[in-house]
Amino acid sequence: MVESYDFVKDVNAKKLAWSFKVHIVRIWEIPNKFNLKEPNSIEMGGRIQASIPKSLVKKWRGVIIEFQMYTISNFIVIKKTNPIKRVTPGTWVLTFSHRTRVDHVVNLSFPLQPFRFKTIPQLINAESSVDNDLFDLIGEIVGKEDLKDLITNKGKETRRLAVVLQDLEYVH
């Protein structure tokens, strides 16, 4: 029997039985805002974002590892509602449920391409900073500015450190 998998580019909320074979590129925990030592969720990203809610963190913590391939099925597709927290391209999040199934793939069937590089000229010439997707950049830090104290729009005190990057492709 030949296994068939769906394509990430086809994801929508109309279908219920999705099945993917994916590389996990990034995985991180979102802390509970009332207790920073307790995770509120586990988030994963690559070509699409996946989320493990607080109720399932104990079951999945440490099971899924970065830069490994997995098959994943039986999850809920949810439309992203907060564009500020967008960490992957696309508009959908694969949300784990109690029925979610994840299996580690030993024989990799496609190459891992974990990085989404942007060049410094692409950043400088960007028309808008509305796109909040994470990306990768390679440069050399050649300087820094002094720390600046800031207050966020929610009234929280924070600091900002600006660094000066040198573009290694276009060294003068």
Side-chain angles (χ1 to χ4, degrees):
M1 181 173 119
V2 175
E3 295 176 332
S4 66
Y5 298 99
D6 298 298
F7 294 103
V8 169
K9 67 179 179 67
D10 297 330
V11 172
N12 62 62
K14 294 177 183 174
K15 182 177 169 181
L16 296 176
W18 294 99
S19 181
F20 293 111
K21 187 179 280 189
V22 296
H23 275 112
I24 302 299
V25 177
R26 293 175 179 88
I27 188 165
W28 64 98
E29 291 186 4
I30 303 294
N32 184 310
K33 65 182 177 180
F34 302 111
N35 180 358
L36 298 178
K37 293 179 181 178
E38 179 182 306
N40 195 54
S41 68
I42 296 175
E43 304 295 320
M44 293 167 276
R47 299 290 181 250
I48 192 166
Q49 185 173 346
S51 183
I52 300 172
K54 182 179 181 176
S55 61
L56 297 173
V57 165
K58 279 186 180 179
K59 177 180 180 179
W60 292 106
R61 188 187 236 170
V63 173
I64 301 170
I65 301 167
E66 286 180 330
F67 302 113
Q68 296 293 311
M69 182 181 276
Y70 298 90
T71 59
I72 175 176
S73 58
N74 300 331
F75 47 83
I76 303 164
V77 174
I78 298 175
K79 189 168 188 160
K80 294 179 189 177
T81 56
N82 189 345
I84 303 287
K85 294 182 179 178
R86 216 168 93 185
V87 297
T88 58
T91 58
W92 304 103
V93 177
L94 310 179
T95 304
F96 281 46
S97 74
H98 290 283
R99 295 183 52 230
T100 298
R101 181 180 170 117
V102 175
D103 293 304
H104 185 252
V105 175
V106 178
N107 297 321
L108 305 183
S109 57
F110 58 89
L112 173 63
Q113 297 175 332
F115 303 109
R116 291 190 311 245
F117 286 108
K118 287 192 178 183
T119 64
I120 290 177
Q122 285 176 314
L123 296 176
I124 292 170
N125 297 323
E127 292 182 24
S128 171
S129 62
V130 174
D131 187 5
N132 289 318
D133 288 338
L134 296 179
F135 59 88
D136 299 289
L137 176 86
I138 295 177
E140 181 180 358
I141 298 175
V142 295
K144 67 177 181 75
E145 295 179 1
D146 293 331
L147 277 174
K148 292 184 181 178
D149 293 320
L150 299 172
I151 298 178
T152 67
N153 59 357
K154 294 184 179 179
K156 185 178 178 183
E157 291 183 19
T158 188
R159 292 178 151 180
R160 182 183 76 188
L161 174 66
V163 295
V164 180
L165 292 177
Q166 180 178 358
D167 189 341
L168 299 176
E169 278 189 28
Y170 302 100
V171 178
H172 301 293

